[in-house]
Amino acid sequence: MTRLMIVLGSVREGRVGLPIAEWVRKTAQADGRFDVDFVDLAELNLPLMDEPNHPRLRKYTKAHTTAWSERVAAADGFIFLFPEYNHSYSPGIKNALDYLNSEWHRKPVGFVNWGGNSAGTRAQAALKPVVAALGLVITMGNIEINFPQKQLSEASEFEPNGQQREVLKLQLDEILALSEALKPLR
Ligand SMILES: Cc1cc2nc3c(=O)[nH]c(=O)nc-3n(C[C@H](O)[C@H](O)[C@H](O)COP(=O)(O)O)c2cc1C
């Protein structure tokens, strides 16, 4: 089974990110090809990056960093979910990335983004050079949702449309294919 880590990068109270992430998590689990590790950065509660050494040295001094390092190192691929804040990515996702280095190398990542009119596309574009710097390989198919609140049910569950369902399926296929292709390079 491919070990897929799903990371939810919005942490504020009342975030729409949580129901979107629940949809992605349930879809990945129901798919049957993935061993899913769900990371809610609000629960992980990493401080602002506080290690004295550059992460590429892997000389971690804090228990929270060692635990995060082991968890990310165990993953074969990722889906990052994050909203657009002020034309860029949410700070939690960048902080979680900055903690580590080689743990991310040569692994695939898919993005699920949301926002207003921009549908999170500026957040997505802003994170691309960051993940490239860490050796992550981005999937072609990524999900952009505009005004996702409109797609919440009365029970506050995210109700994806057909196109969003289709793109998520393609994204999961690609994570699987890239994960296999990149394994010999790790
Ligand atoms: C601090 C802040 C900045 C925002 N900036 C943008 C923005 O630049 N573009 C946009 O489309 N939406 C922006 N929004 C709207 C968010 O995309 C929307 O509130 C979304 O629900 C945030 O995701 P979350 O609920 O998971 O935190 C902003 C929201 C916040 C709280």
Side-chain angles (χ1 to χ4, degrees):
M1 294 265 268
T2 297
R3 287 164 299 187
L4 174 66
M5 177 183 276
I6 297 172
V7 183
L8 169 56
S10 66
V11 300
R12 68 191 184 94
E13 204 178 316
R15 60 212 158 129
V16 73
L18 190 57
I20 299 172
E22 281 300 315
W23 160 58
V24 172
R25 182 181 65 78
K26 282 182 192 157
T27 305
Q29 283 172 336
D31 182 283
R33 296 175 292 176
F34 300 97
D35 180 5
V36 175
D37 182 15
F38 183 76
V39 178
D40 178 349
L41 291 182
E43 278 175 18
L44 194 68
N45 206 19
L46 285 169
L48 283 176
M49 207 291 236
D50 59 356
E51 285 289 340
N53 303 308
H54 192 294
R56 72 169 175 267
L57 301 172
R58 254 174 133 149
K59 282 189 183 166
Y60 301 132
T61 63
K62 307 274 176 10
H64 55 253
T65 315
T66 306
W68 182 226
S69 165
E70 286 170 3
R71 209 164 160 184
V72 171
D76 297 313
F78 307 91
I79 296 180
F80 293 165
L81 297 101
F82 53 100
E84 180 163 318
Y85 291 161
N86 298 317
H87 294 200
S88 190
Y89 42 73
S90 59
I93 196 79
K94 176 71 159 53
N95 189 48
L97 281 161
D98 288 345
Y99 261 97
L100 310 176
N101 190 275
S102 57
E103 296 87 337
W104 303 113
H105 284 187
R106 294 172 169 167
K107 295 178 181 177
V109 61
F111 289 164
V112 176
N113 299 106
W114 57 94
N117 278 328
S118 73
T121 50
R122 291 174 294 214
Q124 189 178 109
L127 202 71
K128 279 184 178 174
V130 178
V131 298
L134 289 166
L136 284 154
V137 179
I138 310 159
T139 56
M140 278 186 293
N142 293 293
I143 297 173
E144 296 115 20
I145 309 167
N146 67 336
F147 299 107
Q149 286 85 353
K150 288 186 187 165
Q151 289 181 248
L152 293 184
S153 70
E154 280 192 10
S156 290
E157 287 185 354
F158 181 70
E159 295 181 327
N161 61 32
Q163 191 204 10
Q164 289 156 352
R165 278 201 191 93
E166 185 60 24
V167 178
L168 181 55
K169 190 184 170 311
L170 291 172
Q171 190 178 67
L172 289 172
D173 288 349
E174 214 187 332
I175 287 171
L176 203 65
L178 285 172
S179 168
E180 287 305 311
L182 292 167
K183 252 182 202 159
L185 300 176
R186 273 181 225 147

